[in-house]
Amino acid sequence: MAGSLTIEGTPAPEWVRAHRRTLSTHALQALSDHGAEASRPAAPRRDPELRWIVEHNVDLFMLLLDRGPGGELTDEEAADLIASAARRASDGEPVEHLLIDYQIGADAMWQVIAPRCRAGERDGLLRITEAVHRYLRQVTGFVVRGFQHEAARMRLGERDARYGLFSALLSGQSPQAAAELAGIALPPGYLVLSLHLGPDPTPPAAPPPGRSPRVSAHRRSNTVQRVLDQYGTDVLALVRDPVATALIPVAPDAGTAEARLVVDRLTEALGVPVHAGAAFGPPDTVHLVHQQGNDVLEIALAAGHGPGAYTLDDVLVAYQLTRPGPGTDRLRERLRPLDGHPDWEQTLRTFLRNGFDRQRTAADLHVHPNTVDYRLTRIAVLVGFDPTEPAQRLTAFAALYLRDLDRYRRRSGRALVTSSWATPA
């Protein structure tokens, strides 16, 4: 199509590219006129965000023209349209407003293009008209999907009966009545995932002007929900980027392979590192295994473990050594003297990581082995245990596990867990 279809003697995609601003401005004016006539509320009409999404539609239409008859847009190319539609759903706009806006925008583009076609280009105008309708048909499907997913998420988070079941399971209440109200048969067990979605490793240098950060957040949330939907309609999930909780029905003999598969799919779909704390249990224990999964995830993140799904077995020692109690309070105090000596703490960590080998520790730190010996001696005096003594090394490991966990909680704004939690009220 690109080689034979012309507007004013210019290949159609090139003409659209050259007149992108004109097409966008005309569409914006048409939307504004219709909004005034229909007494539409002004709140959703945010400029420059509205201009951004209109220009993005022009770009996608140009892409469709370039692909010729039968050309299709992919889910990835339409991801920002889907996310923008989700944002409008979260603003409380009716879906009919969204559909009318796309029809008005497409018509406005055609109204600019049609008069520019010369006498010899009238046959091509029919093909352009077909392309406009094909584009409108495709994007309508995309934006309705985004709108519906967000509307469903809002219902889940605010008033839907499914949220009642989700809440009952996580709070330890009897889930049977909530399940009946939601029309869901309770499964033998759930895979409970506590998820942390990492940042985009290669973010764009600068977002397009007017693109709301909420669009990116909705885009990620939609992707998570789309992956989880592959596991059936009874999956319960709540996404609050960068964290999420998912309850996936599983058979009684489900194992960690299922958890790792879910995380692998999320990682591939999102293109970001995903960490998960995974646990399994029947419906009446979901609240307990959910807390366990949260703890496992927290330890994996605090210890700097790579992306993936982690179960209690993967962090068993660190988990047990960091449980609240008088012992953890004392361990905190043991390493407190190192607060003013970050190079000594780094020496201790490197010494433990290198299997208590002074030579390798010195090489990693680029210092003389005598310097390592001096620092380890001073550490022993300050903290009250000698990390070079085999019987005292476990104390060092435990204290550092706890120190990492405390630092992670401070960074993430969570309260430190002290021994006062040992006997909850």
Side-chain angles (χ1 to χ4, degrees), residues 374-424:
Y374 170 78
R375 290 178 181 177
L376 291 174
T377 300
R378 293 296 299 151
I379 288 170
V381 172
L382 281 176
V383 303
F385 61 83
D386 187 352
T388 66
E389 289 292 329
Q392 300 186 48
R393 287 169 183 168
L394 184 58
T395 303
F397 276 113
L400 287 172
Y401 281 141
L402 190 61
R403 196 169 177 85
D404 288 339
L405 197 55
D406 287 348
R407 284 175 175 167
Y408 171 76
R409 285 173 174 156
R410 290 190 186 96
R411 290 197 306 270
S412 58
R414 295 190 55 184
L416 299 185
V417 181
T418 64
S419 60
S420 61
W421 284 47
T423 53

Side-chain angles (χ1 to χ4, degrees), residues 203-235:
R211 176 176 173 175
S212 169
R214 292 175 60 196
V215 171
S216 296
H218 277 302
R219 178 171 176 169
R220 281 162 53 105
S221 297
N222 290 345
T223 300
V224 172
Q225 194 64 58
R226 187 174 70 248
V227 171
L228 294 176
D229 285 347
Q230 298 173 17
Y231 294 89
T233 58
D234 289 348
V235 172

Side-chain angles (χ1 to χ4, degrees), residues 189-416:
Y190 281 100
L191 162 59
V192 182
L193 290 176
S194 298
L195 297 162
H196 182 274
L197 316 178
D200 187 343
T202 55
R211 176 176 173 175
S212 169
R214 292 175 60 196
V215 171
S216 296
H218 277 302
R219 178 171 176 169
R220 281 162 53 105
S221 297
N222 290 345
T223 300
V224 172
Q225 194 64 58
R226 187 174 70 248
V227 171
L228 294 176
D229 285 347
Q230 298 173 17
Y231 294 89
T233 58
D234 289 348
V235 172
L236 301 172
L238 200 59
V239 184
R240 289 288 183 267
D241 194 6
V243 297
T245 300
L247 310 181
I248 302 176
V250 292
D253 59 348
T256 56
E258 283 85 346
R260 293 192 174 103
L261 179 59
V262 176
V263 173
D264 287 346
R265 288 177 173 175
L266 286 169
T267 300
E268 181 179 3
L270 290 165
V272 302
V274 177
H275 290 75
F280 300 84
D284 59 349
T285 67
V286 163
H287 63 295
L288 299 175
V289 297
H290 175 243
Q291 183 58 56
Q292 183 186 104
N294 279 343
D295 292 343
V296 168
L297 172 63
E298 192 175 55
I299 290 170
L301 290 170
H305 293 333
Y310 293 88
T311 65
L312 180 59
D313 285 343
D314 297 316
V315 295
L316 195 56
V317 173
Y319 178 89
Q320 191 58 41
L321 292 177
T322 54
R323 294 310 86 198
T328 55
D329 294 345
R330 293 290 293 274
L331 283 170
R332 283 189 177 92
E333 293 304 318
R334 283 294 188 92
L335 291 187
R336 197 83 69 192
L338 297 187
D339 288 349
H341 301 278
D343 52 338
W344 291 6
E345 180 179 341
Q346 184 185 19
T347 299
L348 176 60
R349 290 180 181 277
T350 307
F351 179 67
L352 297 178
R353 187 175 64 248
N354 280 320
F356 325 113
D357 187 313
R358 288 177 171 83
Q359 297 294 332
R360 287 167 55 191
T361 299
D364 280 1
L365 296 175
H366 306 290
V367 299
H368 194 277
N370 288 348
T371 301
V372 172
D373 289 337
Y374 170 78
R375 290 178 181 177
L376 291 174
T377 300
R378 293 296 299 151
I379 288 170
V381 172
L382 281 176
V383 303
F385 61 83
D386 187 352
T388 66
E389 289 292 329
Q392 300 186 48
R393 287 169 183 168
L394 184 58
T395 303
F397 276 113
L400 287 172
Y401 281 141
L402 190 61
R403 196 169 177 85
D404 288 339
L405 197 55
D406 287 348
R407 284 175 175 167
Y408 171 76
R409 285 173 174 156
R410 290 190 186 96
R411 290 197 306 270
S412 58
R414 295 190 55 184
L416 299 185

Side-chain angles (χ1 to χ4, degrees), residues 1-2 62-72 127 130-131 134:
M1 187 183 236
M62 178 173 58
L63 187 63
L64 199 69
L65 280 177
D66 224 354
R67 289 178 179 166
E72 299 282 336
R127 293 162 63 188
E130 185 276 332
R134 179 157 43 92

Side-chain angles (χ1 to χ4, degrees), residues 108-187:
M109 274 202 309
W110 189 89
Q111 295 289 347
V112 173
I113 293 171
R116 306 293 186 93
C117 290
R118 298 170 178 172
E121 297 172 333
R122 293 299 174 182
D123 288 343
L125 179 58
L126 294 177
R127 293 162 63 188
I128 291 175
T129 303
E130 185 276 332
V132 170
H133 284 285
R134 179 157 43 92
Y135 177 78
L136 188 58
R137 182 175 67 251
Q138 290 185 42
V139 298
T140 296
F142 285 126
V143 299
V144 168
R145 183 202 308 170
F147 191 98
Q148 289 178 332
H149 277 188
E150 176 62 12
R153 187 195 68 78
M154 291 171 64
R155 287 195 299 272
L156 175 63
E158 296 172 2
R159 58 187 177 273
D160 193 81
R162 291 170 60 86
Y163 180 74
L165 175 57
F166 183 85
S167 179
L169 288 164
L170 291 186
S171 63
Q173 302 173 24
S174 174
Q176 193 59 50
E180 292 175 0
L181 186 62
I184 294 176
L186 288 173

Side-chain angles (χ1 to χ4, degrees), residues 62-117:
M62 178 173 58
L63 187 63
L64 199 69
L65 280 177
D66 224 354
R67 289 178 179 166
E72 299 282 336
L73 296 173
T74 66
D75 281 17
E76 181 63 25
E77 290 164 345
D80 281 342
L81 298 187
I82 296 171
S84 178
R87 184 197 60 74
R88 290 181 63 174
S90 70
D91 283 342
E93 280 199 77
V95 68
E96 56 265 31
H97 287 184
L98 182 68
L99 298 178
I100 289 171
D101 283 352
Y102 271 87
Q103 292 167 2
I104 290 171
D107 179 69
M109 274 202 309
W110 189 89
Q111 295 289 347
V112 173
I113 293 171
R116 306 293 186 93
C117 290

